[in-house]
């Protein structure tokens, strides 16, 4: 069974609500596709206007983060129920920027992944090594740990529906895309890890994206790899280029 590709934009901390709607209007016709899932993961304050603007299109709305408690005294946080009520279908969890600047750990990512499933939101769980780790030859050891802890107590049936994004930290926002071979090698390693933790069927079903300076020029070769099921796109998701990435074939 062929896995359906999924191309998601991670807007990061860009676009005010009115700018967000303008960008959606610009990208709408460019990202139309029958065979790729298209997701716009946008800042929390943009979710409601973007959800309105994408109505009737193939675009689904994602969040960039979410808290792992139901509700209560957690000033500044956004709950899963709030996201669901606003029309969110996907949530990026454990992005390296959140790990680096906001003290996210594998354990908090795991709590968020479990909570997202409880509410029917599909997690896009991120993992990826630093340049130092790659040079030390511990890339796969590190990523296997991120993936295994992130997936603790996640059932096989849940894991089959989720997305894992492999984003080497040294390739994010640097213009330095991993080579196709590097990206495929790690995505295959992640799939092997899923097969060990669960089984072959789960490994075959789970979708694994590559992220890190993906652009219209690099997407076709990356997405053609056996274990790369699409991309998580930062900078290029804010430009018409995103339409070319979605329609990479
Ligand atoms: P860039 O595509 O800007 O490198 O960002 C990648 C990323 O972090 C997506 O989550």
């Amino acid at each position: 069974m062929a896995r359906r590709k999924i191309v998601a934009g991670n807007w990061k901390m860009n676009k005010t609500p009115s700018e967000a709607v303008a960008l959606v209007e610009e990208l709408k016709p460019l990202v139309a596709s029958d065979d790729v899932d298209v997701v716009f993961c946008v800042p929390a304050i943009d979710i409601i206007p973007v959800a309105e603007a994408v109505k009737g299109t193939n675009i689904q709305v994602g969040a960039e983060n979410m808290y792992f408690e139901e509700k209560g005294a957690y000033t500044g946080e956004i709950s899963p129920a709030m996201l669901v009520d606003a029309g969110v279908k996907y949530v990026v969890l454990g992005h390296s920027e959140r790990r680096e600047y906001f003290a996210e750990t594998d354990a908090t990512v795991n709590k968020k992944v479990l909570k997202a499933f409880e509410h029917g939101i599909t997690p896009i769980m991120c993992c990826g090594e630093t340049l130092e780790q790659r040079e030390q030859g511990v890339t796969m050891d590190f990523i296997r740990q991120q993936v295994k802890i992130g997936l603790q107590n996640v059932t096989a049936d849940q894991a089959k529906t989720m997305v894992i994004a492999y984003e080497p930290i040294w390739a994010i926002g640097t213009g330095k895309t991993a080579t196709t071979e590097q990206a495929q090698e790690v995505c295959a390693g992640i799939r092997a890890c899923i097969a060990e933790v669960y089984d072959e069927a789960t490994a075959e079903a789970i979708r694994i994206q590559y992220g890190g300076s993906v652009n219209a020029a690099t997407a076709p070769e990356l997405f053609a790899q056996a274990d790369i099921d699409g991309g998580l796109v930062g900078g290029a998701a804010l430009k018409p280029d995103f339409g070319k990435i979605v329609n990479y074939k």
Side-chain angles (χ1 to χ4, degrees):
M1 191 196 65
R3 287 178 298 272
R4 193 174 157 87
K5 301 276 188 216
I6 175 164
V7 176
N10 172 10
W11 289 15
K12 308 193 179 184
M13 197 175 75
N14 294 293
K15 305 296 171 186
T16 66
S18 55
E19 289 168 350
V21 171
L23 180 59
V24 170
E25 294 304 333
E26 184 187 354
L27 294 182
K28 251 188 214 177
L30 307 178
V31 301
S33 166
D34 287 333
D35 32 61
V36 173
D37 287 340
V38 179
V39 188
F40 286 9
C41 299
V42 305
I45 198 163
D46 296 342
I47 288 171
I48 290 174
V50 166
E52 186 62 34
V54 302
K55 274 198 181 132
T57 74
N58 61 316
I59 303 164
Q60 295 199 297
V61 183
E64 298 177 12
N65 183 34
M66 182 199 88
Y67 199 49
F68 53 72
E69 294 289 353
E70 287 296 323
K71 61 158 110 167
Y74 304 102
T75 302
E77 292 296 317
I78 309 259
S79 78
M82 292 172 189
L83 295 182
V84 170
D85 192 49
V88 164
K89 303 287 184 221
Y90 292 86
V91 61
V92 177
L93 296 175
H95 191 280
S96 61
E97 287 149 17
R98 295 220 51 91
R99 293 175 190 259
E100 182 178 354
Y101 306 128
F102 304 100
E104 294 241 1
T105 64
D106 293 336
T108 57
V109 172
N110 176 239
K111 286 185 181 182
K112 292 180 177 192
V113 167
L114 291 169
K115 192 50 94 174
F117 278 124
E118 255 182 57
H119 287 265
I121 307 173
T122 301
I124 300 176
M125 187 180 84
C126 302
C127 60
E129 82 286 4
T130 62
L131 186 57
E132 196 182 16
Q133 288 165 332
R134 176 158 285 270
E135 285 168 349
Q136 288 170 343
V138 298
T139 295
M140 220 45 242
D141 297 326
F142 180 70
I143 288 173
R144 285 169 58 87
Q145 172 166 323
Q146 286 185 318
V147 169
K148 284 187 175 179
I149 298 176
L151 293 182
Q152 258 168 18
N153 298 318
V154 172
T155 68
D157 281 345
Q158 289 172 330
K160 279 177 186 156
T161 67
M162 72 182 288
V163 180
I164 294 180
Y166 166 53
E167 300 205 310
I169 294 169
W170 49 272
I172 296 177
T174 57
K176 213 175 142 187
T177 319
T179 65
T180 306
E181 292 72 27
Q182 287 171 326
Q184 161 59 21
E185 184 184 18
V186 175
C187 290
I190 293 170
R191 204 175 300 286
C193 178
I194 299 296
E196 278 171 42
V197 174
Y198 299 99
D199 48 45
E200 281 298 331
T202 307
E204 279 306 308
I206 199 165
R207 293 190 289 180
I208 305 175
Q209 296 173 316
Y210 167 77
S213 298
V214 174
N215 59 41
T218 56
E221 203 179 286
L222 285 164
F223 297 176
Q225 302 306 303
D227 290 290
I228 303 180
D229 306 314
L232 184 57
V233 184
L238 302 169
K239 298 187 258 181
D241 246 24
F242 194 61
K244 296 196 185 123
I245 297 173
V246 167
N247 293 293
Y248 65 97
K249 271 191 197 150

